[in-house]
Each structure stands twice: as structure tokens, then as C-alpha cells.
Amino acid sequence: MVVLKSVRPAISCSSFGFDGDQLVPLHKVSFVNLTLPASLLSVRLSSRNNAKLSLVQATKESSTASTNDSAAVFSATNGKATNIVWYKSSVGKVHRQEVLQQKGCVIWITGLSGSGKSTLACALCQALYSRGKLAYILDGDNVRHGLNRDLSFKAEDRAENIRRIGEVAKLFADAGIICIASVLSPYRKDRDACRSLLPEGDFIEVFMNVPLQICEARDPKGLYKLARAGKINGFTGIDDPYEPPLNCELELPQKGNNCASPCEMAEIVISYLEEKGYLQA
């Protein structure tokens, strides 16, 4: 925690009677330049009127304006973007959920290629539609046709692919929509990073626990055959690892030689949504 007693304005505030060489108490309007270590999670600005500011995300360098009321303007350096401000609408997530009569969330379906992720996503979307609920599918392949068309399958690009999908899924959930992300997403750290974007409970991880030999036997896209022939490098399950979830909300396993039908699996997910109250406002 960093406590600031007074600050030197970063810009001239002559209209307020300040200049760049004067120390200004925090109960007056001032601009603060902060260089923050990566480990710093929050900063609180306190003054005689108890004005406070909490940083949602630590950034390397932040520029913050504090005022003598409870509302503060936050202008930050976030990644490569500078001087950005979050504008909050008067219509929030709760209002949108009331209109839709459902709660926004992200259903993140993960598993090997050929495990049935996209099939489940489509069955689930159809089942929700039949109940009058609004859902949208973010399919891993579909997203690479547009938003992520500039990304390869190298490790760093795969991580960025998942990060972008996670951010878009978060926006859908904030809109009150049930977002179904059907993404291979082989690495736990990338899935956990997406989970951390949402409020607790709003990220529902569904693990398609289908053995590699069954996925390879299905091989709907012919990718396993190409990987075995050495024509695809870094293919998950062949020469790149898949890290199964350790604490997923739902696991849909293979049962002997038979697998539950897509509709049956969709009903399992819907039962979970009903139990957790996501199908009502």
C-alpha cells in the first residue's frame, strides 16, 4: 500500500491557483504520476474528505487525477495504450439482465480436438434458445476467421488467441448474454487468466474428458493424421501437451464405449445453470 501525503502537479493548473513547483494537498485537485511495481495491486489516495482511488489493474505507469469528491478520473497506461479513461454507462449489467431475464456468464468448453466441444456448444445454444434464453458461441476456429486472423499457432500467439477470446467473452457476459466459448485452450494458465476476468462463479469451465485415442479415431478435420505424418508441428495431444482442468465446474467424461449424446450433455450444463440461477434475472 502506498500512502501519499502531498503531490507535485505533473501539469500546470493555474486556473485552480496551482503551479508546477508547488506541493499540493490531496484534498485539492491535482495530477499524480505514479510508477508502480508489477506486484502492486492497489493504490489508495486519502485526504481529509476520505477521497479514495483503487486501481483495478496495476500498470507500469499511471496518471491519476484526484478530486475533492468521491468520483475520480483514472487515466492510465495499460499495455501499449496511454491516456485512456473508462467511461461507465448509466445502464449496467443488472439492467441488461433484467431485460433478458437471465444472468450473463461464460461457459468455457475445453478439451482435445475431436472431443466434441463445438458439437456441445451448438446443442447447448439450441437448448437455451428453445427456453427463450440468449446465448452466443465463440468458436475457436470461427474467431480465427476474423478477430484473430492475424495469429499463428505458435505458443505466444496461442496465448494471445485465448486472451482475446476471454476478453470478448467477458463483454458478452457483461451484456447479460450467456457466452459459450468452445476453445481447445490447452494450457491451465491461459484458462485461469480468462477466469480471473470475471466475477466469481461467472466462469463455468466444462471439460470434455474424452481420451486421445477416441479423439484421434474420430479426427473430424483430419488434423491428427497430418500431425502423425509430421505435416503439422505443435499439435495438441501429439507433440504439444494438453493440461486438463484441476477444478472445473463440470466434467463430461467418456462412459465406456459410448458417449452421452450432445443433447444429453447440453441438459447437464443447463441443469447447472438453473441450479446456480443463471436462467433468471
Side-chain angles (χ1 to χ4, degrees), residues 231-242:
K231 296 180 180 180
I232 298 178
N233 296 320
F235 190 76
T236 302
I238 304 300
D239 55 353
D240 203 61
Y242 176 82

Side-chain angles (χ1 to χ4, degrees), residues 14-107:
S14 57
S15 61
F16 291 95
F18 308 142
D19 60 50
D21 295 324
Q22 180 183 0
L23 287 176
V24 181
L26 284 179
H27 68 278
K28 296 184 178 180
V29 177
S30 54
F31 285 82
V32 186
N33 284 333
L34 302 174
T35 300
L36 307 177
S39 60
L40 185 62
L41 297 179
S42 64
V43 174
R44 174 176 293 178
L45 301 182
S46 299
S47 65
R48 287 182 297 181
N49 62 355
N50 294 320
K52 299 175 182 178
L53 170 66
S54 293
L55 300 184
V56 174
Q57 179 179 354
T59 58
K60 183 176 179 181
E61 182 176 329
S62 300
S63 177
T64 305
S66 65
T67 65
N68 57 3
D69 58 28
S70 59
V73 178
F74 177 46
S75 177
T77 299
N78 191 349
K80 295 181 180 180
T82 60
N83 299 317
I84 55 176
V85 177
W86 184 274
Y87 287 99
K88 186 175 181 181
S89 170
S90 60
V91 178
K93 182 178 181 180
V94 172
H95 303 102
R96 293 186 285 270
Q97 291 180 154
E98 288 175 352
V99 170
L100 296 172
Q101 285 300 296
Q102 63 184 49
K103 291 185 174 70
C105 64
V106 173
I107 301 171

